[in-house]
Amino acid sequence: MKKVFKHLMSSGLTVSVLAMSFAGTAAAADTTTTAAPATTTSAPASKNLIVLIGDGMGPAEVTAARYYSKQFLHKDRLELDGGYYVGKATTYSQASPYTTESGAVTDSAAAGTAFSTGNKTYNNAISVSNGDVAKPFASVIEAAMKQGKVTGLVTTDAITGATPAVWASHVRQRSNQNAIASQFLDSGVSVFFGGGKVNFVTKEDNGKRTDKNIIPDFQAKGYQTAFDKAGLDAIPVTAGKALGLFADVEIPYVLDRTASNPSLPQMTQKALDILSQNKDGFVLLVEQGRIDHAGHANDFPANIQEMLELDATFKTLVDFAKKDGNTSVVVTADHETGGLSLGINNVYELNVDLFNKEKHSYEYLDGILKKAQNADDVRKIVADNIGFTDLTDDEVQLILKGDGSSYGRAGGYNAVISKRLAIGWTGHGHTGVDVGVWAYGPIASLVKGDVDNTDIAKSGAKVIGADLDAATKALQDKYLYPMFKVTRDNKTLFTAKSLAEALGAKVEWDEASKTVTLSKDAQKMVVDVTTGAVTVNGAASAIVGQVDNGKLYLAIEAFNQLTGKTMTWDSFNERIVQ
């Protein structure tokens, strides 16, 4: 588990720094702690809502898949092109409290929080607000369950990855995937299909890894489980609840799958079959997560195949919606990945005839390329995988040396292939371009034109009549997600000013006495920052304050005494339970 250390332990700081921290407003103030208004009093227009996300799917990725479809599938257009395009969405996030990122280029966690809850946040945040004391935002799925609807999450990524996670869990850092898996157990979501089995069989507590298999806990709650295509097929439509974990991490790329790996359309169809049994309707999130992974690696042929699978999944969803007659479908992306360009080096051409030559993705080749001893080995690997038998010496050396990124030789291979296909990449990260929006059903008119990614959630809630505000209030009444640090003696401490104010207390600094006073109702706590001594209502207390980097820290017991509450610190999920 990744612990959150806002400041390192230090002791040689002047109290004047502390005074400054209390004199002004925190730089990362929590300015968005309640969900944006999204409640509608009119009758819902749809009983069911389906959201399909192409992770990393920018405009160029869609165009490339269309070129492939025309050339090799003999189709003039994609399924997405059948009159469903309604506009585009902005994707920016907020400035990070952990890094210098401005938020102009989002990650999947912040973007997912936006299109699932209707709220902006910082990169890495899973459905929590920005600031020293974050508060949870409810997703459309969490709000829909309060209406009696059933819900599901389907992905080719790990089911604990950022895009599915934002719909049914809340953590400050997306890397805390074991906590996400644990929260899924109590989330109320009926169907989970994807990869990520590793996060269900191990976990960490206080930084120590312990083996714990929580799959039996899901089974005890009535979830039927599956771990391969045969297991998926065996789940009856009347199952009610299902947990399918089809890979330790991500489900293999389309190019690398075997008969035991279910496809995204297959997982989606099973989810539809199960969820549609509920008379009150459902909300389903489907993600093609590996468009993003192929974009990060700059593997263009693999990227196209993942795009085509998204397109096939869209057909599955729209066919259901048209037959059902009471379902809205919306499709978008969290961001573009890789900075894909169709055309390079001032040459007005694409080698589309080569787009279908690759047999396996870079991921499959990675271990094979690492074992290559010489140029002849590289030439044979490339010839076997994509049919190129005329590699230049420079191309061979690029593969042997690697592209200078963490992808190593696989990155060098992808760079060689991309150049031969006449396509380019700006790098291995995300970009800030707008992404497309497609829709079917009543939601189409609500997401038409130039929208923001938060409008996907607001419109989704509106079209099914879900109350995001009420669901968010219920969560915020129960949980807080503060910045924290762990001392050398394994004590968890919280910033006094930000947490006290989040709990409704008043905080004052007295320069003359070098004390901080925290007061709420009849309770008055005074901390001498030079000694750490604490008095409560004038009496000495066993509570001790600690100054670090100009900020005063206190343990949870101090805040309980101040507020009269019996709050507890949930270290596994890194949150305060009120």
Side-chain angles (χ1 to χ4, degrees), residues 90-96 101-107 123 430-433:
T90 50
T91 64
Y92 63 90
S93 60
Q94 291 181 339
S96 172
E101 292 176 356
S102 69
V105 179
T106 191
D107 79 335
N123 289 354
H430 299 172
T431 62
V433 300

Side-chain angles (χ1 to χ4, degrees), residues 107-120:
D107 79 335
S108 296
T113 297
F115 60 62
S116 68
T117 75
N119 293 275
K120 295 288 188 180

